[in-house]
Amino acid sequence: MARVVVVGDLMTDTVARAAYPLAKGSDTPAAVTMHGGGSAANVASWLAIEGTETAFVGRRGSDIAGRNRDMELMGMGVDARLVMDPDRPTGSCVVLVTHKGDRTMLSDPGANAALLPEDIPQDLFTQGAHLHLSGYSLLNEGSRNAGRHALKLARGAGMSISVDAGSSSPLKRVGAEPFLEWTQGARLLIVNTAEAEVLTGRDEAQAAAKVLTAWYPQVVIKMGAEGALYFNNTRAEPITAPAEPLEKIVDGTGAGDAFVAGFLPPWLDGKPAAEALAAGNRLAARAMSHIGARPRLDIVDNEIR
């Protein structure tokens, strides 16, 4: 199994899960909890607890939240290469989860927005390793140069590269053309249906995937309850895998990140795409079975014991 280097965002998620429909201008009972978050850090966490040698590169504040996030990553077995920012706080995100499970996120990137090219440790970029770059690093102007530098280092080392598109709203603000240009050389793009539509203008996943293979040799589109789709530039038809059955979605936060962590190891091992998609869907379902975007630390601790 190749070592995976994940570069990108680290956050603290405050998850407010409403018990009833939101009462605008008034109070709604909710369960409010705090968890480690950040798309890239989530991917690294799930990879590590599933047994993949994983390094995470990011930036945190010099606050208690940053220290806690650092310790969590190390506790999950991640080689955490976090630069401490003396001025900015650790990134934070308020996740509003409705009584039906729909999510809205309010994000403050904090220290993530100051990730610099010199923060990227060159010793991690070696032939045979794999880089996964969070799209948030490119969508945020402050960290964009660092994200592009990581891609340059990976290409120079002959590493395989995967990227995700972050989130549809900031992707739309930045624009499809710049993102496609910045990520040239990536072997794999992983997006959801909304991000695929922003990049291609196509609202149907298969059509969007075909368009995207003009830029990326391989494309995966996450389709939520419909599962996931894989397409490459040598196939006539896509490969699909259904979503894992789940009696109840407790919290969908981080499910897409867990999918990435489930997909990458079998894909890197050269397993069939259908097998990699199924592994991604299984881990996504596991993430949706509890509150928070990361693996549950109590389960990790029990597995270690």
Side-chain angles (χ1 to χ4, degrees), residues 220 228 230 241 259-268 270-282:
V220 169
Y230 167 89
F259 173 91
V260 173
F263 179 88
L264 283 178
W267 177 77
L268 288 168
K271 300 290 178 59
E275 184 176 332
L277 290 173
N281 288 335
R282 281 194 298 272

Side-chain angles (χ1 to χ4, degrees), residues 90-104:
T90 301
S92 60
C93 183
V94 176
V95 183
L96 304 177
V97 184
T98 71
H99 65 297
K100 293 183 178 180
D102 299 320
R103 292 175 297 124
T104 299

Side-chain angles (χ1 to χ4, degrees), residues 8-9 48 111 113-114 147 158 176 178 204 210 213 218 228 232 239 244 271:
D9 50 317
E204 198 277 320
K210 287 183 178 180
T213 55
Q218 300 179 57
N232 67 35
I239 295 171
E244 285 283 304
K271 300 290 178 59

Side-chain angles (χ1 to χ4, degrees), residues 46-292:
W46 285 106
L47 280 169
I49 68 151
E50 289 295 295
T52 298
E53 184 183 357
T54 307
F56 172 71
V57 179
R59 196 172 180 97
R60 72 170 179 88
S62 58
D63 46 23
I64 293 175
R67 184 187 66 185
N68 289 342
R69 301 293 80 81
D70 200 341
M71 293 176 65
E72 285 172 355
L73 289 169
M74 290 189 291
M76 292 176 184
V78 177
D79 178 7
R81 305 289 188 95
L82 297 177
V83 175
M84 187 183 300
D85 192 304
D87 302 314
R88 299 179 184 233
T90 301
S92 60
C93 183
V94 176
V95 183
L96 304 177
V97 184
T98 71
H99 65 297
K100 293 183 178 180
D102 299 320
R103 292 175 297 124
T104 299
M105 292 171 284
L106 305 171
S107 301
D108 177 357
N112 293 305
L115 187 67
L116 301 172
E118 52 263 39
D119 295 336
I120 311 297
Q122 294 194 30
D123 66 290
L124 294 175
F125 291 78
T126 58
Q127 189 170 14
H130 175 81
L131 170 67
H132 178 73
L133 178 69
S134 167
Y136 283 106
S137 298
L138 298 173
L139 301 180
N140 190 305
E141 186 176 1
S143 57
R144 187 171 300 150
N145 286 339
R148 298 186 69 182
H149 183 63
L151 289 169
K152 180 180 178 181
L153 288 175
R155 288 192 294 263
M159 295 167 61
S160 56
I161 301 170
S162 59
V163 295
D164 64 61
S167 182
S168 60
S169 182
L171 179 63
K172 190 172 184 178
R173 288 195 295 269
V174 167
E177 288 186 13
F179 182 86
L180 294 170
E181 178 186 346
W182 297 330
T183 55
Q184 280 300 289
R187 180 177 163 196
L188 171 69
L189 174 72
I190 304 176
V191 292
N192 62 28
T193 51
E195 294 154 3
E197 183 174 0
V198 172
L199 290 174
T200 67
R202 311 294 175 87
D203 59 3
E204 198 277 320
Q206 182 171 335
K210 287 183 178 180
V211 172
L212 287 168
T213 55
W215 283 274
Y216 309 96
Q218 300 179 57
V219 175
V220 169
I221 298 183
K222 300 171 288 182
M223 302 184 295
E226 297 180 22
L229 173 153
Y230 167 89
F231 200 81
N232 67 35
N233 56 11
T234 64
R235 293 187 59 84
E237 297 295 330
I239 295 171
T240 60
E244 285 283 304
L246 200 61
E247 288 186 9
K248 180 182 179 181
I249 297 176
V250 176
D251 179 12
T253 309
D257 304 325
F259 173 91
V260 173
F263 179 88
L264 283 178
W267 177 77
L268 288 168
D269 277 349
K271 300 290 178 59
E275 184 176 332
L277 290 173
N281 288 335
R282 281 194 298 272
L283 208 57
R286 182 172 160 190
M288 290 187 284
S289 67
H290 66 263
I291 295 176

Side-chain angles (χ1 to χ4, degrees), residues 17-41:
R17 189 165 184 267
Y20 306 104
L22 295 178
K24 295 182 180 179
S26 186
D27 293 298
T28 304
V32 180
T33 52
M34 297 183 71
H35 310 268
S39 178

